[in-house]
DNA sequence: GCCTGGCACTCCGCAAAGGTGAGTGCCAGT
DNA sequence: ACTGGCACTCACCTTTGCGGAGTGCCAGGC
């Protein structure tokens, strides 16, 4: 069915269409690529490719355009991932190196990704779930008010003010603080929540009610991980290069970009930090975005996927370059996070 | 020069143009408004208004369109600010009431503003400068690494990791922590920074170098108020209603929206929390945005302007409605912040 | 003196018409 | 199995023509 030359033709069509944005015909194709055959032969191959649904004609006498299925084949079999040049790597490093904290890393990543791919970039904040407890602090604000602070290994800080049902002596607070820290230090958040719950049993009956309030606030801080719902978007100005069909491609995308929930669904879930996922056209889980593709990857320190980042762009995009960029940024951001 | 009828004509032109998006002619104007005169008379008035630069003709034999100067006059003299209806007020309240912290208030405000005005909304985060110190925490991470955490009354958390030039004993850290808190608790940030600097003198010579590093990190956290450079943008999907001239009006705006510095400049500075500023077309401090207007207002608890919020939209916008919305949201957000 | 109805004029916007060219499918020949 | 040739199709561009909305100006009326 699909011999090597037909695949070469498909590849050529995708590449030309991506760079020129115009349907590509048999003649121009032969001129620009060294296929070693005449336009007429290419036409036969094209007819076969169209038969199989890899390419399509906008109108009877126009050139061919890749279909989603065509892009899919191109991405899966016709492209070897380009690795970045040394200067490119260096640029990424230096761009991310200046980051002062996790927020800054995320912000820089979005910019970097948007700039490299010239697409709309999306970066999800690192999940707390896999981070560990660095410190738990209890601050007495008044006899019946306590500030509970949780600091994680990724440098994120969660804090809650709790109203105590009855006063707690400083001694009890100090004891509780010490016990909390020994129990949770270095533990992952879910495990830490578990440990904290266990502590409840060991408390003397007199303080039980007050302590229970504190502990439940802390457990909530451990579990209520709002950060994994947060995403940052950048490079929206690149939408300008999207095409001119505002209502049918740009508007729905702008609307989607406002909804973080939608974005998270777009990025999808990845457990493997090194795998780059590509969703093309109709594969994207929103009907309105059928003219867009999503290239995403998990990222995190030591190949563990804490969160996802990626880009959204027209199906007509430079997949090899974009995939390489997303993969590289994911890798470097993971590394940058490990340093924090 | 400008008698009452001419002003009425100008007002009618602005209103019609805003709602229809089309140049308005003398005949339609008379039909839609009760001016009590004939089209011919209106034409004469229009000629005078054009002479004075309040309106312009896209081409000979087209209707008239307001100029920036025309909008200016309209905003300054021809419009009385509409006050909101009770249901509208109630909607705002209930929308903002559910907010759990400052971040949430800001996020809700952006949504609210974008929804009410159907424009792109911008909200600057409240400045820290006027907030007070709730707690300072020092966490020992390793003998030579210390985590400095600052928690403010608005619930904002700043944190820094400092590398110590030499180890610090736990005792010294505990002592320092206690002294820091007694010195700064309840102080406003600038004053707190001052107090911290003063502490440096009282330290024993052996620890001076290490302590100095910690203190300067803290002073920096007090002063380096990055939050007043932070802004949140929402409602970009409303750009779709902007017009179809993508390259000349939407693209530069999208680019501007990416640059927080630019946005802050757009919002401008307000000291008075109750004043709504309107900048029209060329009055906006960016040449590329000459087709846009900015409606902004300061906001904060008790009429004190902690920050600015506003909207950006085409010069052709519903000024009375927008101004009313911005003013109302600013007022309610100020109130919501006071509650936190 | 200001307003009005009438009139000639301008010019945008739309639609129809015609020409051009890129691209195709098919077929006969090598 | 590939190629050159040929007739055909159809989007796109330009040209042309026309209608209509709008204007400016002028002479007449309250």
């Amino acid at each position: 069915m699909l011999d090597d030359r037909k695949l070469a033709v498909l590849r050529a069509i995708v590449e030309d269409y991506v760079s020129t944005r115009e349907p590509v015909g048999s003649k121009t194709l032969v001129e620009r690529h060294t296929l070693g055959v005449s336009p007429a032969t290419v036409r036969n191959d094209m007819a076969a490719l169209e038969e199989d649904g890899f390419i399509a004609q906008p109108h009877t006498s126009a050139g061919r355009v890749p279909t989603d299925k065509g892009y899919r084949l191109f991405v899966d079999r016709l492209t070897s991932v380009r690795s970045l040049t040394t200067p490119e790597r260096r640029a990424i490093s230096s761009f991310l190196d200046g980051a002062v904290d996790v927020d800054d890393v995320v912000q820089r990543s979005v910019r970097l990704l948007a700039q490299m791919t010239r697409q709309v970039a999306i970066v999800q904040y690192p999940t707390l779930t896999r981070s560990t407890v660095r410190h738990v602090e209890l601050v007495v604000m008044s006899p019946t008010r306590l500030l509970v602070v949780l600091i994680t290994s990724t440098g994120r800080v969660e804090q809650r003010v709790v109203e105590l049902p009855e006063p707690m002596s400083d001694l009890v607070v100090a004891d509780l603080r010490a016990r909390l820290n020994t129990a949770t230090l270095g533990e992952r958040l879910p495990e830490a929540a578990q440990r904290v719950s266990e502590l409840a049993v060991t408390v003397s009956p007199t303080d039980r009610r007050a302590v229970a309030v504190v502990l439940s606030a802390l457990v909530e801080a451990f579990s209520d991980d709002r950060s994994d719902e947060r995403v940052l978007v950048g490079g929206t100005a690149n939408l300008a290069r999207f095409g001119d069909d505002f209502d049918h491609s740009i508007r729905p995308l702008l609307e989607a970009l406002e909804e973080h929930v939608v974005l998270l669904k777009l990025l999808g879930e990845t457990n493997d930090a090194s795998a780059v996922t590509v969703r093309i056209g109709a594969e994207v889980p929103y009907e309105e975005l059928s003219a867009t593709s999503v290239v995403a990857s998990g990222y995190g320190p030591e190949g563990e996927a804490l969160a996802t980042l990626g880009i959204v762009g027209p199906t007509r995009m430079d997949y090899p370059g974009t995939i390489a960029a997303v993969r590289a940024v994911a890798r470097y951001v993971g590394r940058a996070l490990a340093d924090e």
Side-chain angles (χ1 to χ4, degrees), chain A:
Chain A
M1 274 286 125
L2 288 180
D3 55 32
D4 284 355
R5 198 186 55 216
K6 289 200 184 63
L7 291 177
V9 169
L10 176 57
R11 175 196 278 123
I13 291 175
V14 172
E15 286 171 357
D16 269 27
Y17 183 59
V18 165
S19 66
T20 66
R21 302 184 163 203
E22 264 168 26
V24 13
S26 55
K27 198 179 147 204
T28 37
L29 206 58
V30 173
E31 279 168 8
R32 263 197 283 226
H33 299 78
T34 45
L35 294 167
V37 290
S38 77
T41 311
V42 171
R43 280 204 287 280
N44 289 329
D45 291 349
M46 282 173 150
L49 286 168
E50 184 164 16
E51 178 81 11
D52 292 345
F54 295 112
I55 56 180
Q57 266 181 303
H59 351 267
T60 320
S61 73
R64 301 309 212 292
V65 162
T67 60
D68 289 358
K69 194 179 169 193
Y71 284 122
R72 180 86 267 163
L73 185 63
F74 176 80
V75 169
D76 288 346
R77 297 187 40 199
L78 302 177
T79 181
S80 55
V81 187
R82 180 173 70 97
S83 48
L84 301 182
T85 62
T86 320
E88 281 175 319
R89 292 172 188 285
R90 206 169 293 156
I92 299 179
S93 295
S94 68
F95 200 98
L96 291 177
D97 272 355
V100 299
D101 59 15
V102 176
D103 270 26
D104 203 20
V105 170
V106 172
Q107 279 167 29
R108 282 165 186 258
S109 308
V110 169
R111 282 192 178 240
L112 179 62
L113 207 49
Q115 200 179 306
M116 285 180 70
T117 61
R118 313 247 304 160
Q119 308 283 6
V120 178
I122 308 172
V123 178
Q124 180 187 7
Y125 280 78
T127 323
L128 286 188
T129 326
R130 305 241 171 104
S131 54
T132 59
V133 176
R134 180 181 280 169
H135 186 65
V136 174
E137 184 57 41
L138 304 177
V139 181
V140 179
M141 294 171 63
S142 82
T144 61
R145 289 183 93 190
L146 208 59
L147 178 68
V148 181
V149 182
L150 160 66
I151 301 171
T152 74
S153 59
T154 50
R156 199 158 274 286
V157 180
E158 290 277 332
Q159 44 128 4
R160 299 276 190 288
V161 177
V162 295
E163 301 284 346
L164 301 176
E166 56 213 31
M168 243 169 113
S169 78
D170 284 1
L171 221 70
V172 176
V173 171
D175 174 57
L176 186 58
R177 178 190 301 129
R179 297 241 303 278
L180 281 173
N181 275 293
T182 40
T184 61
L185 189 68
E187 295 286 336
R188 290 193 165 186
L189 263 45
E191 284 83 1
Q194 184 61 29
R195 297 282 168 285
V196 170
S197 309
E198 289 164 14
L199 271 183
V201 199
T202 69
V203 178
S204 79
T206 44
D207 302 312
R208 185 153 293 171
R209 276 183 56 212
V211 170
V213 175
V214 176
L215 294 189
S216 71
L218 198 50
V219 170
E220 187 200 313
F222 281 134
S223 330
D224 167 30
D225 180 3
R226 274 186 304 168
S227 71
D228 70 352
E229 290 171 9
R230 289 181 62 204
V231 287
L232 198 60
V233 174
T236 37
N238 290 326
L239 285 176
R241 309 181 316 111
F242 216 89
D244 37 9
D245 188 2
F246 198 101
D247 268 15
H248 290 86
S249 60
I250 300 186
R251 185 209 291 261
L253 187 48
L254 273 176
E255 277 165 7
L257 292 176
E258 297 257 312
E259 295 295 336
H260 289 187
V261 190
V262 173
L263 289 182
L264 287 170
K265 202 166 173 190
L266 277 189
L267 286 178
E269 292 187 3
T270 330
N271 295 316
D272 185 352
S274 60
V276 175
T277 313
V278 180
R279 303 196 201 192
I280 298 165
E283 298 167 13
V284 173
Y286 283 89
E287 219 171 299
E288 300 85 1
L289 301 182
S290 59
T292 54
S293 288
V294 178
V295 179
S297 169
Y299 74 91
E302 286 133 40
E304 210 181 5
L306 286 189
T308 312
L309 56 76
I311 63 95
V312 182
T315 45
R316 181 221 296 120
M317 74 164 75
D318 167 24
Y319 290 95
T322 308
I323 292 171
V326 168
R327 203 179 52 170
V329 171
R331 199 169 292 169
Y332 279 84
V333 172
R335 225 170 282 172
L337 278 181
D339 296 344
E340 289 299 319

